[in-house]
Amino acid sequence: MSVSRRKFLGWLGAAGAGVISGGTAKAASNKHFKGYPDSMGVLHDTTLCVGCRSCEAACNKVNALPAPKQDFTDTTVLERKRRTDSSAFTVVNRFKQSESDKQPVFVKKQCNHCLEPACASVCFVGAFKKSPEGAVTYDESVCVGCRYCMIACPFEIPAYEYDKALTPRVVKCTMCHPRVLEGKLPGCVEECPTEALLFGERNKLIKAARKRIARFPERYVDHIYGENEMGGTSWLYLSARSYEQIGMREDLGVTPAPKFTEGILSAVPIVAGLWPVLLTGIYAVSKRKDKVAQEEQSQAVAEAVTQAESQAEVKLKKALVLAKKEKEMAVKKEARKALEKAAKAQKAAEKKAQEEATEK
């Protein structure tokens, strides 16, 4: 049975009435699931990545995202560290040990699709789910916008569409789940020109990664990132440097996220009951802040315009005075030239007349 967002908010209101009147409300289940260890995944070999951003362009096209401010062929964006957001589900970052480092490491960042996702474990409406194919999917029809998923994710991936006031969603990489269901490769994997991205069964990818490490021990760190972190992820990494040096957390441990969130979910009845009130309060504060900000902005613009007009008037007066002086100087200069020319002509005429009188 599908449930609309409006209907769910109505249920929340009823839950709130139940809490206030002393009734009870049902909590979300606090039993964690074990994921699908035999699902698909992606192996990202950072030693093969050249930072071309082809994966970013493919992701943008597949997900029909807005065009970026800087074209995907522009690699100057790699000069600063970036993170995913509502308009970019994947980004490539460059990591250098020093300014003179001639072999930087390029790392693609996106949702790691945990085997037991933290986002799903804290979502009391089940908007996030781990699919048998490996992707962590999102159902916007039941999402209430609590954004617990954004707080819970250890990789800071879920992003909120703040620019869409009426229909905001929580968005992130889907590992191209619809394409995978059609038997296609994820867009980024398909477009990678150096085969830095490899798609396949997660267990086989781990075996392939171990073979690479064994064959080239001088090239790789002896660790497959994502094999065990937070209970394991469907996105796996190989690196020539420590993962901390390439912007990845090494403090996560191997315990799945649901182990940490079981206690949190027991408080869902209270949260659900107060949720409409909380949302109303947040909305009112937000609108008030927007109004104050708009008034301050308008006042600042008006003051800036007045100041600019005053400065322009002063500059205009100075320019007119200067122009008048320059004009007067130019007239005097031309008059002086004319007088000098007339004097020379008169002198020449007198000399000629004198010469003619002498000849007679």
Side-chain angles (χ1 to χ4, degrees):
M1 179 183 71
S2 62
V3 181
S4 67
R5 185 175 302 184
R6 179 176 295 179
K7 182 182 290 186
F8 188 84
L9 289 174
W11 290 350
L12 288 182
V19 171
I20 295 172
S21 62
T24 60
K26 294 182 179 180
S29 172
N30 61 4
K31 295 182 180 180
H32 70 87
F33 52 94
K34 296 182 179 181
Y36 303 94
D38 296 328
S39 61
M40 308 298 281
V42 177
L43 174 63
H44 177 27
D45 190 336
T46 61
T47 67
L48 300 178
C49 183
V50 295
C52 67
R53 301 183 64 203
S54 295
C55 54
E56 291 187 36
C59 179
N60 180 275
K61 181 179 180 181
V62 169
N63 293 287
L65 298 175
K69 294 180 180 179
Q70 293 175 267
D71 189 77
F72 290 112
T73 58
D74 186 353
T75 57
T76 60
V77 299
L78 299 175
E79 295 175 1
R80 57 183 176 83
K81 186 178 179 181
R82 299 176 295 151
R83 59 165 296 174
T84 58
D85 56 34
S86 60
S87 61
F89 295 171
T90 187
V91 295
V92 176
N93 284 318
R94 178 176 62 191
F95 295 90
K96 301 173 68 174
Q97 289 183 318
S98 65
E99 290 300 322
S100 60
D101 189 354
K102 296 182 179 179
Q103 291 185 322
V105 178
F106 299 97
V107 182
K108 178 182 180 299
K109 183 176 183 179
Q110 71 298 301
C111 174
N112 286 335
H113 299 278
C114 304
L115 298 185
E116 298 186 56
C119 57
S121 69
V122 299
C123 184
F124 57 87
V125 295
F128 283 99
K129 292 182 180 179
K130 179 71 174 180
S131 70
E133 294 75 29
V136 175
T137 60
Y138 166 74
D139 183 357
E140 64 180 279
S141 68
V142 299
C143 178
V144 296
C146 69
R147 284 163 275 180
Y148 286 170
C149 52
M150 296 173 64
I151 299 172
C153 179
F155 304 108
E156 300 180 331
I157 293 300
Y160 195 68
E161 293 179 321
Y162 290 100
D163 58 329
K164 296 184 178 180
L166 299 178
T167 58
R169 300 173 300 166
V170 175
V171 292
K172 67 174 189 65
C173 159
T174 65
M175 204 162 79
C176 290
H177 187 244
R179 288 174 58 89
V180 172
L181 291 178
E182 295 175 3
K184 300 178 181 178
L185 292 172
C188 57
V189 177
E190 187 174 70
E191 291 299 320
C192 182
T194 62
E195 297 185 355
L197 301 173
L198 181 64
F199 179 75
E201 293 181 19
R202 183 177 182 274
N203 290 334
K204 292 182 179 179
L205 291 177
I206 292 174
K207 292 179 181 178
R210 285 177 181 158
K211 286 183 179 179
R212 292 188 188 186
I213 294 173
R215 187 176 180 184
F216 304 104
E218 71 286 352
R219 178 189 299 179
Y220 299 103
V221 172
D222 189 11
H223 176 61
I224 305 170
Y225 193 94
E227 180 179 7
N228 298 305
E229 277 76 11
M230 293 298 294
T233 62
S234 292
W235 209 280
L236 307 165
Y237 294 83
L238 284 177
S239 174
R241 299 179 184 174
S242 72
Y243 290 100
E244 185 178 7
Q245 290 180 339
I246 59 174
M248 302 177 73
R249 295 183 61 179
E250 292 189 317
D251 61 339
L252 298 176
V254 298
T255 305
K259 287 290 186 179
F260 299 107
T261 57
E262 289 176 355
I264 296 173
L265 290 179
S266 64
V268 167
I270 298 176
V271 174
L274 297 177
W275 192 246
V277 178
L278 178 61
L279 284 180
T280 302
I282 292 174
Y283 178 77
V285 172
S286 177
K287 293 297 288 182
R288 173 60 182 166
K289 287 176 65 178
D290 290 344
K291 183 178 180 181
V292 171
Q294 187 175 4
E295 290 175 351
E296 291 178 347
Q297 184 179 16
S298 299
Q299 184 179 354
V301 170
E303 291 176 354
V305 170
T306 301
Q307 185 178 2
E309 289 177 347
S310 178
Q311 292 176 351
E313 186 177 354
V314 172
K315 289 182 179 180
L316 179 59
K317 288 181 178 179
K318 289 182 178 180
L320 289 174
V321 172
L322 181 61
K324 185 178 180 180
K325 289 183 179 179
E326 291 178 348
K327 183 178 180 180
E328 291 175 351
M329 291 177 63
V331 170
K332 290 179 180 180
K333 185 177 181 180
E334 291 300 321
R336 187 168 58 251
K337 286 182 178 179
L339 291 173
E340 290 176 354
K341 186 177 181 180
K344 287 181 179 180
Q346 184 179 359
K347 189 174 181 181
E350 289 176 352
K351 184 178 180 182
K352 184 178 181 181
Q354 187 178 7
E355 289 176 351
E356 288 177 353
T358 303
E359 290 177 357
K360 290 179 180 181

